[in-house]
Protein backbone atom coordinates (compact mmCIF):
# COMPACT_ATOMS: atom_id res chain seq x y z
CA UNK A 1 0.00 0.00 0.00
CA UNK A 2 1.43 3.38 -1.06
CA UNK A 3 0.19 6.61 0.44
CA UNK A 4 1.05 9.53 -1.88
CA UNK A 5 0.70 13.15 -0.86
CA UNK A 6 -1.48 15.63 -2.72
CA UNK A 7 0.04 17.19 -5.82
CA UNK A 8 3.78 17.70 -5.58
CA UNK A 9 3.71 18.52 -1.87
CA UNK A 10 6.00 16.71 0.52
CA UNK A 11 5.94 16.37 4.27
CA UNK A 12 9.15 17.05 6.18
CA UNK A 13 10.65 14.11 8.01
CA UNK A 14 10.93 16.37 11.03
CA UNK A 15 7.13 16.47 11.15
CA UNK A 16 7.02 12.66 11.13
CA UNK A 17 9.52 12.44 13.98
CA UNK A 18 7.56 15.01 15.99
CA UNK A 19 4.51 12.72 16.18
CA UNK A 20 5.11 11.49 19.72
CA UNK A 21 2.48 8.76 19.53
CA UNK A 22 4.52 7.03 16.80
CA UNK A 23 7.63 6.78 19.03
CA UNK A 24 9.96 6.94 16.04
CA UNK A 25 13.69 7.25 16.72
CA UNK A 26 15.81 9.11 14.16
CA UNK A 27 19.08 7.30 13.46
CA UNK A 28 20.45 8.88 10.28
CA UNK A 29 19.60 12.40 9.11
CA UNK A 30 19.48 12.80 5.34
CA UNK A 31 21.34 16.00 4.38
CA UNK A 32 20.10 15.98 0.80
CA UNK A 33 16.40 15.42 1.53
CA UNK A 34 13.98 17.40 3.64
CA UNK A 35 10.76 15.53 3.04
CA UNK A 36 8.89 12.57 1.62
CA UNK A 37 6.04 12.21 -0.83
CA UNK A 38 4.79 8.72 0.06
CA UNK A 39 4.95 6.08 2.79
CA UNK A 40 5.33 2.56 1.44
CA UNK A 41 5.38 -0.58 3.63
CA UNK A 42 6.94 -3.22 1.40
CA UNK A 43 8.98 -6.38 2.00
CA UNK A 44 10.17 -7.21 -1.51
CA UNK A 45 13.86 -7.82 -2.07
CA UNK A 46 13.73 -5.39 -5.01
CA UNK A 47 10.83 -2.94 -4.50
CA UNK A 48 12.27 -0.28 -6.81
CA UNK A 49 9.63 -0.51 -9.54
CA UNK A 50 6.80 0.04 -7.03
CA UNK A 51 8.23 3.09 -5.28
CA UNK A 52 7.12 6.67 -5.86
CA UNK A 53 9.86 9.34 -5.97
CA UNK A 54 10.87 10.56 -2.50
CA UNK A 55 9.10 7.64 -0.83
CA UNK A 56 9.86 6.36 2.66
CA UNK A 57 10.20 2.56 2.69
CA UNK A 58 8.88 0.80 5.80
CA UNK A 59 10.25 -2.68 6.42
CA UNK A 60 10.79 -5.15 9.25
CA UNK A 61 13.79 -6.62 7.41
CA UNK A 62 12.24 -9.63 5.68
CA UNK A 63 14.30 -8.97 2.49
CA UNK A 64 17.49 -9.13 4.61
CA UNK A 65 16.93 -11.92 7.14
CA UNK A 66 17.75 -14.98 5.00
CA UNK A 67 21.29 -13.97 4.04
CA UNK A 68 24.33 -15.68 5.54
CA UNK A 69 26.40 -13.65 7.97
CA UNK A 70 29.36 -13.40 5.60
CA UNK A 71 27.11 -12.06 2.83
CA UNK A 72 24.76 -9.99 5.00
CA UNK A 73 26.56 -6.65 4.67
CA UNK A 74 26.76 -6.94 0.87
CA UNK A 75 23.07 -7.84 0.66
CA UNK A 76 22.10 -4.83 2.80
CA UNK A 77 24.17 -2.43 0.70
CA UNK A 78 22.71 -3.85 -2.51
CA UNK A 79 19.17 -3.47 -1.13
CA UNK A 80 19.69 0.14 -0.09
CA UNK A 81 21.37 0.93 -3.42
CA UNK A 82 18.31 -0.34 -5.29
CA UNK A 83 15.78 1.75 -3.37
CA UNK A 84 18.08 4.79 -3.45
CA UNK A 85 18.31 4.50 -7.24
CA UNK A 86 14.50 4.45 -7.33
CA UNK A 87 14.44 7.81 -5.55
CA UNK A 88 13.54 6.70 -2.02
CA UNK A 89 14.24 9.39 0.55
CA UNK A 90 14.45 7.20 3.64
CA UNK A 91 13.91 3.89 5.43
CA UNK A 92 11.77 3.18 8.45
CA UNK A 93 13.05 -0.05 10.04
CA UNK A 94 10.81 -2.02 12.36
CA UNK A 95 12.66 -3.73 15.20
CA UNK A 96 11.59 -6.47 17.61
CA UNK A 97 10.21 -8.93 15.06
CA UNK A 98 13.10 -10.27 12.96
CA UNK A 99 15.85 -7.94 14.16
CA UNK A 100 16.36 -6.89 17.77
CA UNK A 101 17.99 -3.63 16.68
CA UNK A 102 18.78 -1.77 13.48
CA UNK A 103 21.69 -3.56 11.75
CA UNK A 104 24.92 -1.51 11.62
CA UNK A 105 25.28 -2.44 7.94
CA UNK A 106 21.94 -0.76 7.23
CA UNK A 107 23.02 2.39 9.05
CA UNK A 108 26.24 2.52 7.03
CA UNK A 109 24.51 1.89 3.70
CA UNK A 110 21.81 4.50 4.30
CA UNK A 111 24.41 7.05 5.33
CA UNK A 112 26.47 6.26 2.22
CA UNK A 113 23.47 6.96 -0.04
CA UNK A 114 22.54 10.16 1.86
CA UNK A 115 19.12 8.87 2.89
CA UNK A 116 17.22 9.05 6.17
CA UNK A 117 16.83 6.17 8.62
CA UNK A 118 14.58 5.84 11.64
CA UNK A 119 13.62 2.99 13.95
CA UNK A 120 10.00 1.87 14.43
CA UNK A 121 9.48 0.13 17.80
CA UNK A 122 7.75 -3.25 17.83
CA UNK A 123 4.49 -1.99 19.48
CA UNK A 124 3.96 0.63 16.71
CA UNK A 125 2.06 -0.79 13.70
CA UNK A 126 3.00 0.52 10.28
CA UNK A 127 -0.67 1.38 9.71
CA UNK A 128 -0.49 4.00 12.43
CA UNK A 129 2.22 5.82 10.45
CA UNK A 130 0.10 5.72 7.31
CA UNK A 131 -2.94 6.98 9.24
CA UNK A 132 -0.98 9.88 10.74
CA UNK A 133 0.29 10.90 7.31
CA UNK A 134 -3.20 10.62 5.80
CA UNK A 135 -4.67 12.86 8.51
CA UNK A 136 -1.97 15.46 7.99
CA UNK A 137 -2.41 15.27 4.25
CA UNK A 138 -6.16 15.87 4.62
CA UNK A 139 -5.58 18.75 7.03
CA UNK A 140 -3.13 20.46 4.68
CA UNK A 141 -5.42 19.98 1.68
CA UNK A 142 -8.31 21.54 3.59
CA UNK A 143 -6.13 24.46 4.67
CA UNK A 144 -4.91 24.97 1.09
CA UNK A 145 -8.51 25.04 -0.17
CA UNK A 146 -9.46 27.59 2.47
CA UNK A 147 -6.51 29.75 1.49
CA UNK A 148 -7.48 29.49 -2.17
CA UNK A 149 -11.08 30.49 -1.41
CA UNK A 150 -9.86 33.51 0.54
CA UNK A 151 -7.54 34.53 -2.29
CA UNK A 152 -10.33 34.21 -4.87
CA UNK A 153 -12.64 36.37 -2.78
CA UNK A 154 -9.96 39.05 -2.43
CA UNK A 155 -9.25 39.02 -6.16
CA UNK A 156 -12.94 39.26 -7.02
CA UNK A 157 -13.44 42.18 -4.62
CA UNK A 158 -10.41 43.97 -6.08
CA UNK A 159 -11.63 43.47 -9.66
CA UNK A 160 -15.10 44.81 -8.83
CA UNK A 161 -13.90 47.85 -6.89
CA UNK A 162 -10.68 48.78 -8.70
CA UNK A 163 -10.67 47.16 -12.10
CA UNK A 164 -7.65 45.66 -13.83
CA UNK A 165 -4.96 47.56 -11.91
CA UNK A 166 -6.36 46.62 -8.50
CA UNK A 167 -6.78 43.00 -9.65
CA UNK A 168 -3.13 42.69 -10.70
CA UNK A 169 -1.89 44.49 -7.58
CA UNK A 170 -3.82 42.15 -5.28
CA UNK A 171 -2.75 39.05 -7.22
CA UNK A 172 0.90 40.13 -7.17
CA UNK A 173 0.78 40.46 -3.39
CA UNK A 174 -0.92 37.07 -2.95
CA UNK A 175 1.62 35.11 -5.02
CA UNK A 176 4.70 37.34 -4.53
CA UNK A 177 5.20 37.90 -8.26
CA UNK A 178 5.19 40.62 -10.92
CA UNK A 179 2.30 40.47 -13.42
CA UNK A 180 1.53 41.73 -16.89
CA UNK A 181 -1.29 41.41 -19.41
CA UNK A 182 -0.31 41.72 -23.05
CA UNK A 183 -1.99 40.87 -26.35
CA UNK A 184 -0.73 38.69 -29.16
CA UNK A 185 0.92 41.74 -30.77
CA UNK A 186 2.97 42.41 -27.65
CA UNK A 187 1.00 45.47 -26.55
CA UNK A 188 0.76 45.91 -22.79
CA UNK A 189 -2.74 46.39 -21.36
CA UNK A 190 -1.79 46.35 -17.68
CA UNK A 191 1.16 45.54 -15.48
CA UNK A 192 2.28 45.49 -11.87
CA UNK A 193 5.93 45.29 -10.92
CA UNK A 194 7.07 43.36 -7.86
CA UNK A 195 10.43 42.91 -6.11
CA UNK A 196 12.17 44.89 -8.84
CA UNK A 197 10.82 42.68 -11.65
CA UNK A 198 9.22 44.26 -14.74
CA UNK A 199 6.86 41.59 -16.02
CA UNK A 200 5.78 43.73 -18.99
CA UNK A 201 9.22 43.53 -20.62
CA UNK A 202 9.32 39.78 -20.05
CA UNK A 203 5.81 39.35 -21.46
CA UNK A 204 6.63 41.29 -24.62
CA UNK A 205 9.39 38.81 -25.40
CA UNK A 206 7.24 35.77 -24.62
CA UNK A 207 3.98 35.41 -26.53
CA UNK A 208 3.17 31.73 -26.05
CA UNK A 209 1.56 29.92 -23.15
CA UNK A 210 4.19 28.02 -21.16
CA UNK A 211 6.33 28.05 -18.04
CA UNK A 212 10.10 28.30 -17.73
CA UNK A 213 13.01 29.07 -15.44
CA UNK A 214 15.63 31.69 -16.24
CA UNK A 215 18.85 30.67 -14.42
CA UNK A 216 20.61 33.86 -15.51
CA UNK A 217 18.17 36.15 -13.66
CA UNK A 218 17.17 33.59 -11.02
CA UNK A 219 13.48 33.97 -11.88
CA UNK A 220 10.62 31.68 -12.82
CA UNK A 221 7.97 32.66 -15.35
CA UNK A 222 4.55 31.34 -16.22
CA UNK A 223 2.51 32.66 -19.16
CA UNK A 224 -1.16 31.77 -19.40
CA UNK A 225 -3.34 32.14 -22.49
CA UNK A 226 -6.53 34.06 -21.77
CA UNK A 227 -9.88 33.91 -23.58
CA UNK A 228 -9.65 34.47 -27.32
CA UNK A 229 -11.61 37.34 -28.85
CA UNK A 230 -11.77 36.64 -32.56
CA UNK A 231 -8.25 36.71 -33.96
CA UNK A 232 -6.94 38.47 -30.87
CA UNK A 233 -6.06 37.03 -27.50
CA UNK A 234 -4.43 38.18 -24.30
CA UNK A 235 -1.70 36.62 -22.19
CA UNK A 236 -1.27 36.80 -18.42
CA UNK A 237 2.41 36.59 -17.45
CA UNK A 238 3.74 36.15 -13.91
CA UNK A 239 7.43 36.42 -13.01
CA UNK A 240 8.88 35.66 -9.57
CA UNK A 241 12.03 34.69 -7.71
CA UNK A 242 10.44 31.38 -6.72
CA UNK A 243 8.81 28.42 -8.51
CA UNK A 244 5.04 28.55 -8.95
CA UNK A 245 3.16 26.05 -6.79
CA UNK A 246 -0.24 24.53 -7.65
CA UNK A 247 -1.77 27.13 -5.29
CA UNK A 248 -0.11 29.97 -7.24
CA UNK A 249 -1.37 28.51 -10.51
CA UNK A 250 -4.94 28.30 -9.18
CA UNK A 251 -4.80 31.95 -8.09
CA UNK A 252 -3.47 32.92 -11.52
CA UNK A 253 -6.28 31.06 -13.29
CA UNK A 254 -8.83 32.97 -11.22
CA UNK A 255 -7.06 36.24 -11.97
CA UNK A 256 -7.07 35.38 -15.67
CA UNK A 257 -10.82 34.74 -15.67
CA UNK A 258 -11.56 38.03 -13.90
CA UNK A 259 -9.23 39.92 -16.24
CA UNK A 260 -11.07 38.43 -19.22
CA UNK A 261 -14.36 39.81 -17.90
CA UNK A 262 -12.86 43.27 -17.38
CA UNK A 263 -11.25 43.36 -20.82
CA UNK A 264 -14.46 42.24 -22.52
CA UNK A 265 -16.60 44.81 -20.69
CA UNK A 266 -16.00 47.63 -23.24
CA UNK A 267 -17.32 45.40 -26.02
CA UNK A 268 -20.43 44.59 -23.98
CA UNK A 269 -21.01 48.26 -23.15
CA UNK A 270 -20.66 49.32 -26.80
CA UNK A 271 -23.25 46.71 -27.77
CA UNK A 272 -25.64 48.00 -25.11
CA UNK A 273 -25.03 51.60 -26.22
CA UNK A 274 -25.86 50.73 -29.84
CA UNK A 275 -29.09 49.10 -28.71
CA UNK A 276 -30.10 52.17 -26.73
CA UNK A 277 -29.19 54.48 -29.59
CA UNK A 278 -31.32 52.41 -31.96
CA UNK A 279 -34.21 52.49 -29.50
CA UNK A 280 -33.93 56.26 -29.13
CA UNK A 281 -34.03 56.72 -32.90
CA UNK A 282 -37.08 54.45 -33.17
CA UNK A 283 -38.90 56.47 -30.50
CA UNK A 284 -38.10 59.77 -32.23
CA UNK A 285 -39.31 58.47 -35.60
CA UNK A 286 -42.33 56.67 -34.14
CA UNK A 287 -41.18 53.31 -35.49
CA UNK A 288 -42.47 50.18 -33.72
CA UNK A 289 -40.25 47.10 -34.13
CA UNK A 290 -41.54 43.72 -35.23
CA UNK A 291 -40.39 40.12 -34.89
CA UNK A 292 -37.22 39.76 -32.85
CA UNK A 293 -36.85 43.55 -32.86
CA UNK A 294 -39.66 44.27 -30.42
CA UNK A 295 -38.75 47.94 -29.93
CA UNK A 296 -39.72 49.53 -26.65
CA UNK A 297 -41.28 46.53 -24.84
CA UNK A 298 -38.32 44.23 -25.46
CA UNK A 299 -35.71 46.85 -24.60
CA UNK A 300 -37.40 47.76 -21.34
CA UNK A 301 -37.87 44.10 -20.38
CA UNK A 302 -34.36 44.06 -18.88
CA UNK A 303 -35.05 47.15 -16.75
CA UNK A 304 -38.45 46.36 -15.21
CA UNK A 305 -38.99 44.80 -11.79
CA UNK A 306 -41.16 41.76 -11.03
CA UNK A 307 -44.30 43.94 -11.20
CA UNK A 308 -43.40 45.33 -14.61
CA UNK A 309 -42.47 48.78 -13.28
CA UNK A 310 -39.47 50.88 -14.26
CA UNK A 311 -37.86 53.02 -11.56
CA UNK A 312 -36.27 56.11 -13.10
CA UNK A 313 -33.40 57.98 -11.44
CA UNK A 314 -33.09 61.77 -11.65
CA UNK A 315 -29.62 63.29 -11.22
CA UNK A 316 -29.42 67.03 -10.58
CA UNK A 317 -26.34 69.23 -10.14
CA UNK A 318 -25.62 72.94 -9.85
CA UNK A 319 -22.66 72.82 -12.21
CA UNK A 320 -22.24 70.98 -15.54
CA UNK A 321 -18.92 69.51 -14.40
CA UNK A 322 -20.51 67.96 -11.33
CA UNK A 323 -23.27 66.50 -13.48
CA UNK A 324 -20.76 65.01 -15.90
CA UNK A 325 -18.79 63.50 -13.03
CA UNK A 326 -21.94 61.97 -11.54
CA UNK A 327 -22.99 60.49 -14.89
CA UNK A 328 -19.53 59.01 -15.40
CA UNK A 329 -19.75 57.29 -12.02
CA UNK A 330 -23.25 56.04 -12.83
CA UNK A 331 -22.04 54.60 -16.14
Amino acid sequence: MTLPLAGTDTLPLSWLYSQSKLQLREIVTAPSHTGFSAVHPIELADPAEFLAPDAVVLTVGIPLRDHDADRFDDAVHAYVARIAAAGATGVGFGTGLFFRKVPPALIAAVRQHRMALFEIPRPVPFMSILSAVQEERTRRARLAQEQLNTAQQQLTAAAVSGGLDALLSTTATRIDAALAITDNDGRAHAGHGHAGIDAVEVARRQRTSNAAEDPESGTWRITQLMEKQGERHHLLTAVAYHPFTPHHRSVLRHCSGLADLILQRPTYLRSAQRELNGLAMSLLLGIQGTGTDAGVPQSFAHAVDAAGRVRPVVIQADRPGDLTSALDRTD
Side-chain angles (χ1 to χ4, degrees), residues 22 96 124 162 179 185 197 284 293:
L22 298 178
V124 179
L179 296 169
D185 291 327
I197 301 174
L284 287 173
D293 181 17

Side-chain angles (χ1 to χ4, degrees), residues 3 25 50 81 88 90 96 177 292:
L3 181 59
R25 184 172 70 90
F50 302 103
T292 58

Side-chain angles (χ1 to χ4, degrees), residues 13 29 45 82 95 103 111 139 165 206 238 251 255 273 295 313:
L13 285 164
T29 301
R82 286 193 292 270
T95 55
R111 185 173 284 121
R139 186 190 71 83
D165 291 338
Q206 178 61 45
V251 172
C255 175
Q273 187 66 46
V313 176

